[in-house]
Structure formats: C-alpha cells, structure tokens
Amino acid sequence: MIKHIVCFKLKDNSPEECQKAKDVLMSMKGKVPMIKQIEVGIDFLHSERSYDIILQVTLEKSELDNYKNDPYHCNVVKKHMHSVRESSVAVDYEI
C-alpha cells in the first residue's frame, strides 16, 4: 500500500474557494475505484509557509498508474485543481 499526498497552494485561498477545492477532491470517493481511503483538509493556520489544501489517498502500489490515469481523476479533478492552484507539492511513500 502507498500513501499519495498532495499539498495545494491556491491562487484564491478564500474560505469559499478552499471549500470548493475540497469538495472537488472529495468527489473522487466512490468514483475512482482504486482509492482505498481519501482525506482532504483545509489549512487553518495560514502561515507564510502553509499550503491551503492537503489531499491524502491510500491505494495499492500497483494501482498508482491507474489512479494517475483514471478518467474522472484526470478530466474532472486534475482539470479543476490545475486551474485553481498556484503551486503544489507531492510525496508518495509505502505504508
């Protein structure tokens, strides 16, 4: 199993835009079948080094490429997040 984590810094980090991004990310639950667990959080600290949103997905290591290429993930979630993000960082590790 692996944990796939992405932190997003949004162009507009207003509460409304953060909630919209969270909703889009959470919409993968039940629509992207290889996801075992999903968690999305909105930063409350807003420090200089903070990112606005964190996505944590648990899946089988063998499913990572399928996840990255899943039609819903690519056509809905990535499309939206790429349009609203200023930057992002990611880490993938085995659990």
Side-chain angles (χ1 to χ4, degrees), residues 2-6 28 32-35 55 57 59-79 82 90-93:
I2 64 162
K3 184 80 73 162
H4 170 68
I5 299 174
V6 184
M28 288 191 288
V32 180
M34 62 285 308
I35 294 176
L55 167 68
V57 174
L59 54 137
E60 296 291 338
K61 187 175 183 179
S62 61
E63 293 283 6
L64 184 58
D65 285 337
N66 291 334
Y67 168 76
K68 288 181 179 180
N69 296 306
D70 178 84
Y72 186 82
H73 178 232
C74 291
N75 298 326
V76 177
V77 177
K78 274 186 171 180
K79 186 175 181 179
H82 285 201
V91 63
D92 297 278
Y93 63 93

